[in-house]
Amino acid sequence: YAMDAYELLESRKSVRTYTGEAVPGSQESRILRAAELAPVGMGRFEDFHLTVIKNPQILKQIELAAALMLGKPDVHPLYGAPELVLVSAKDPEQKGNVAYSGAAIIAHNMVLAAENQGLGACYIWGAVAALNQNPDLVSALELPESFLPCCGVIFGATTEILTPREVDSERIRTNVLR
């Protein structure tokens, strides 16, 4: 199923519909390998941690935390995906941009790897913010000391089709200094 780099970038989208079927181990391994290949500030990989969540009860608790934070009891921000991978960083509030940027790059690598294998994927931010407001739920993640989730990625089989799309080449304003 593999796409070339630009086809993958042109096809990438946030998928919000999943079949719920489990992700085969070989595909999950490739996604987690992509996380390992991400660049992080000063090469400090020890400052990052991945938590793979497949447990339906924990996924439901994360969704409930998000629903309560948003005041929308019917919201399902994990969209029925069978897996959520949280990217946590050590002391992210103290390390700021380096921690959050590293986590985002790790997440982006996982999204690209998932979509390159024909899976749907989506970045998860709001549900992670809600999760972090629930100390008992954070404790259930069994994270190393001083680590806190920064972002997450859901992925799984989808009925959505990933196809290249036209993108306005000027949608991000750019100036060039010479």
Side-chain angles (χ1 to χ4, degrees):
Y1 188 90
M3 299 180 237
D4 77 27
Y6 272 93
E7 182 184 9
L8 178 60
L9 294 173
E10 290 169 348
S11 299
R12 201 222 58 76
K13 68 177 184 174
S14 293
V15 172
R16 293 182 173 90
T17 55
Y18 296 89
T19 66
E21 61 188 86
V23 175
S26 60
Q27 286 184 305
E28 180 186 77
S29 294
R30 290 183 62 83
I31 293 165
L32 296 176
R33 175 71 177 142
E36 296 285 348
L37 296 171
V40 298
M42 303 300 290
R44 294 188 52 88
F45 293 95
E46 65 272 17
D47 287 349
F48 295 92
H49 183 86
L50 301 177
T51 304
V52 180
I53 303 172
K54 301 179 191 186
N55 181 312
Q57 288 179 310
I58 296 174
L59 294 172
K60 188 174 182 175
Q61 288 176 323
I62 292 170
E63 282 197 320
L64 180 59
L68 291 173
M69 182 182 85
L70 296 170
K72 297 180 179 179
D74 296 332
V75 74
H76 296 283
L78 303 182
Y79 309 104
E83 289 193 39
L84 166 64
V85 178
L86 294 173
V87 183
S88 299
K90 184 175 185 179
D91 299 316
E93 297 303 318
Q94 191 176 68
K95 294 183 176 147
N97 190 45
V98 172
Y100 286 101
S101 295
I105 293 167
I106 291 167
H108 188 61
N109 267 22
M110 287 190 291
V111 164
L112 292 177
E115 293 187 356
N116 197 41
Q117 297 179 86
L119 298 172
C122 188
Y123 305 100
I124 300 298
W125 303 100
V128 173
L131 162 69
N132 284 333
Q133 293 178 11
N134 186 325
D136 291 337
L137 197 46
V138 172
S139 178
L141 299 174
E142 301 176 9
L143 295 171
E145 189 173 332
S146 302
F147 280 73
L148 191 67
C150 294
C151 61
V153 172
I154 54 173
F155 53 87
T158 183
T159 56
E160 292 189 39
I161 307 292
L162 303 174
T163 56
R165 66 195 188 289
E166 289 295 319
V167 175
D168 179 357
S169 63
E170 296 179 12
R171 70 182 190 172
I172 299 175
R173 292 176 31 184
T174 305
N175 65 315
V176 178
L177 307 177
R178 298 182 196 271

